[in-house]
Amino acid sequence: MSEPERLHPTVMAMIVTRDFRDGDVVNLGVGLPLECANVLPPDREILLHSELGILGFGPVITDHTQADPYVMMVGNLPVTANPGMVFTSHDESFALIRGGHLDVTVLGGLQVDQECNLANTQFEGKPAGNLGGAPDLAYGAKRTIVLMHHTTNDGQFKVVERCTLPLTAPRCVSRIVTDVGVMDIEGGAVVLKETAPGWDPERIQGITGARLVIADDVHEVTL
Amino acid sequence: MSEPERLHPTVMAMIVTRDFRDGDVVNLGVGLPLECANVLPPDREILLHSELGILGFGPVITDHTQADPYVMMVGNLPVTANPGMVFTSHDESFALIRGGHLDVTVLGGLQVDQECNLANTQFEGKPAGNLGGAPDLAYGAKRTIVLMHHTTNDGQFKVVERCTLPLTAPRCVSRIVTDVGVMDIEGGAVVLKETAPGWDPERIQGITGARLVIADDVHEVTL
Amino acid sequence: MVRPQRGRSGPLINKIVATFDDAVADIADGATVHFGGFASPFNSPSYLVAAVARQGATDLTAISTSMGRGLASADQQSRWLPPELRPRDFFDIGLLAELGRIRKGITSFAVGARHDWVYPFEERLAAGEAEVEVLGQGSLAERIRAARAGIAAFYTPVGPGTDVARGKEVRDFDGVPHVLETALKADFALVRAYKADRYGNLIFRGARTFNETMAGAAAVTIAEVDEVVDLGELRPEQIHTPGVYVQRVVVRPSQPVTSWGTAL
Amino acid sequence: MVRPQRGRSGPLINKIVATFDDAVADIADGATVHFGGFASPFNSPSYLVAAVARQGATDLTAISTSMGRGLASADQQSRWLPPELRPRDFFDIGLLAELGRIRKGITSFAVGARHDWVYPFEERLAAGEAEVEVLGQGSLAERIRAARAGIAAFYTPVGPGTDVARGKEVRDFDGVPHVLETALKADFALVRAYKADRYGNLIFRGARTFNETMAGAAAVTIAEVDEVVDLGELRPEQIHTPGVYVQRVVVRPSQPVTSWGTAL
């Protein structure tokens, strides 16, 4: 029995961004989280932040001729210069993060556990890791959302009872959006709130390493 | 027997500034120390700093019509905007001070003792004091020069064996320039190096609360 | 099942507040407030101070580089300007001290710098009606910056060997004694800037003093500005304070209002 | 007796150095060096890195947000630009790792972010020829800023509960655990800026990354700039880094030099 289709990254990003309010200050990690920059309606005023010192940028630029190499986010991706944009130093950028001035951070994840711990630094087979800005972001933002595939390429669980990889940040994750559903971590449990079309809770539990609590009002994802 | 004439503040300032080298970064306190800004030859490039966040200013402006209220140093004194001037915040201004980026600070003093301690915060008769920027300046500058009258208005000693007033900063003063001479503090002793015209060492000792060591080459002040 | 995202869900960002009285209306008795500037009519958040005076909040902890001169300020602080240019709308926190609103000052300049200069806060102190914590400007600025930056405490080499270090932890780093100082976060920060946009981005004119330092070091930062410009007019490289540090912006009146009692 | 002060006693301030090779000539083996930028051809001090490679200093402690990709950098990092605009003169500290010059890295990105991206420093690490200290970018930036600001150490809430806090003091403030981090001062800081004047005042273009953070956090800060302008051309409000933080300035060549081995 083949598994149902998983959610497209664009849809995953739309699930994350549907709750953003105008004025929210949101840091987007590289990879999947950055998709969020591209699905925000242009009439919304969400201030996007990237830790190298840019705040208030718009969508990723795909037309190379329009790219300004001085307006880019982490990962050397050129982004749109929105009115009201600000540049800072790295130390001020993290003053802003650590000082509690971010509303949301959307991070990628390798493992998230039911104690809200996040591991997103790859150590396996590597002599060291890459912490990047995630430790500060996960601590400093009022809300940390992890946006990731529900399992690894080779089918290993990423939503787990207890992270086995080194922690990037402890007790920080409030929501997990994956390609099969939406989970909130509440009171030490992973609560399944929304499911991708065709994915019932049992099937999601089957690819999840933590026991899922099924929300009373669990429903198919809406945008 | 009336005492010889004391040095004019302008001359005192010239004694301080004669050792400045081009490129020196110098903070000037209010009061007597500020005289230094006015005696620097215009062809010298000494970068004057004031702790509210201005670096690289020129002489105090006396022609009111030329004053720019946005270019002023501590004490609300308008100063000249030299090319290359920079404005900063207060925190960056003190990062610069504390971080060791100042060559010289010229401070006023109420008492200086032979252990290089400085007291320049008035407490007598007041319910509290004014520390201002002096604690950081005296610590952070490579060299702290105190520019002050040798005695108080009512004849009390200001160069003393041990400060009796609360300390502003410990073990910081390297040179004292007063209206009767120049003293360096070396190895726990106040060493008299230069004397004002008409003031011999004995007479200076007579108005000094610490035992003066007379330098072998003590001489009349030169500019 | 997956439907397209709907449009706008709320108002555009607009931090401009119509009046100074509105801007400070929610400062409660007992609040801790950063007051920016550096004792000058040209960098003091004068109209915000006056609005706090009108609003009546009392029992305040005031964090400010100096405790102010009170109503005599404008003349004394700008005596070097031609009389016709002297601002008549300078109010500093001495006004709040005069009105008995300040329970505690955290400051670098607690009193008049001469025996015959006696300022309102000093009189309150002498009368036992207020308390004060005096520290050097560098430690004051760094403690405020730490609050903005989410740093709980830091070790500075400035303070050991003086009264400032009393009761505080002193520890050696590389053989040099350092004193532990903690972050000074406030409920409100009142700052003065030159231009702002509706996002709250600020630029300053002249030395940025404690205005830049304090912006973002409080739950609510309120900026008093000379001018509000269109979004995009302030260039991203030139903005000193990112708007995310600022919650409210109020524009100064085009003509000076010389009485602090005037609703504005 | 009191004679008028004599005239000039030394040269005017001029921090402009003629060549990159001159600028880095005194970096000794074993030095600790801040490398600015953030993995982009447009904010990396590329020509300074190349000059250090030519100069030969080894056994370096390199402080940098990432440990670099080495000679493959330019293509990989600017693949989103039209080929004709891709800089061919991007050198990052991966070059120094390739040459075996780095004994220790202090960084946030020690390795390639994918299994199949294996960078030079990572190979050295795997071979036991280098060591590394990995920490989050916020703590890295703050430790460097602390060095610039003369702060010995600080307590940050970021790190407790993770490997970063191992062996470090953890202390509660307001019930939240904080880890003690110390200042990271270097012998040299190599930074990239946009414009400079002869005082060493700098302005940056775009995000200022670690370039602004590191300027002033070393005994000697060297700035690689696109352009030197006349003194006074940079407005005092717009200068990002005061010249007192900068000891040397070198101008980038007007035409890209694509080989790191070319004396410059």
Side-chain angles (χ1 to χ4, degrees), chain D residues 96-248:
Chain D
L96 300 174
E98 269 180 79
L99 297 170
R101 307 284 176 71
I102 299 178
R103 183 186 56 76
K104 182 177 182 182
I106 302 176
T107 188
S108 289
F109 296 95
V111 298
R114 286 179 20 181
H115 280 287
D116 52 335
W117 292 350
V118 178
Y119 298 145
F121 184 71
E122 188 175 344
E123 294 173 341
R124 297 279 158 177
L125 274 184
E129 294 164 7
E131 54 180 314
V132 71
E133 179 181 350
V134 179
L135 63 163
Q137 275 189 90
S139 295
L140 181 65
E142 187 69 7
R143 289 179 67 184
I144 297 165
R145 187 262 170 196
R148 184 178 88 220
I151 296 298
F154 57 87
Y155 289 99
T156 171
V158 179
T162 74
D163 290 348
V164 164
R166 275 203 198 139
K168 294 175 181 168
E169 182 191 323
V170 173
R171 186 191 292 201
D172 278 12
F173 290 88
D174 288 332
V176 177
H178 287 65
V179 62
L180 183 66
E181 296 280 5
T182 53
L184 272 179
K185 182 143 186 168
D187 301 307
F188 292 86
L190 311 185
V191 306
R192 168 87 173 270
Y194 179 40
K195 293 182 181 180
D197 61 29
R198 65 179 171 85
Y199 281 8
N201 292 314
L202 303 180
I203 65 168
F204 299 89
R205 189 171 169 190
R208 299 196 282 279
T209 71
F210 276 93
N211 289 311
E212 184 180 12
T213 301
M214 289 171 169
V220 176
T221 294
I222 311 175
E224 168 180 334
V225 302
D226 289 322
E227 194 182 343
V228 169
V229 299
D230 285 344
L231 199 69
E233 195 170 308
L234 306 178
R235 288 189 35 215
E237 285 90 354
Q238 296 179 351
I239 291 167
H240 295 119
T241 292
V244 298
Y245 286 156
V246 177
Q247 280 67 48
R248 302 171 195 165

Side-chain angles (χ1 to χ4, degrees), chain A residues 3-140:
Chain A
E3 77 171 33
E5 198 180 355
R6 296 202 182 199
L7 296 176
H8 188 273
T10 302
V11 176
M12 294 164 69
M14 289 167 79
I15 293 171
V16 171
T17 59
R18 70 186 174 194
D19 298 328
F20 291 176
R21 291 166 306 174
D22 284 299
D24 275 355
V25 186
V26 178
N27 183 289
L28 300 178
V30 288
L32 269 181
L34 189 54
E35 286 293 326
C36 297
N38 301 323
V39 301
L40 288 171
D43 65 344
R44 298 285 294 280
E45 291 194 332
I46 311 296
L47 298 177
L48 298 181
H49 176 259
S50 186
E51 52 264 46
L52 74 166
I54 178 171
L55 173 67
F57 61 87
V60 173
I61 289 177
T62 50
D63 174 0
H64 285 179
T65 64
Q66 297 302 308
D68 177 345
Y70 293 94
V71 183
M72 60 182 186
M73 64 153 282
V74 169
N76 283 295
L77 287 163
V79 288
T80 308
N82 280 347
M85 188 174 69
V86 188
F87 295 128
T88 71
S89 68
H90 238 95
D91 54 298
E92 196 64 43
S93 178
F94 278 88
L96 191 154
I97 293 169
R98 201 194 301 106
H101 306 279
L102 281 187
D103 295 292
V104 182
T105 184
V106 186
L107 291 169
L110 295 171
Q111 290 181 332
V112 180
D113 72 24
Q114 62 195 26
E115 300 296 336
C116 314
N117 295 311
L118 170 66
N120 71 353
T121 304
Q122 180 59 278
F123 282 81
E124 287 196 295
K126 292 276 191 179
N130 290 337
L131 283 172
D136 294 84
L137 288 161
Y139 169 82

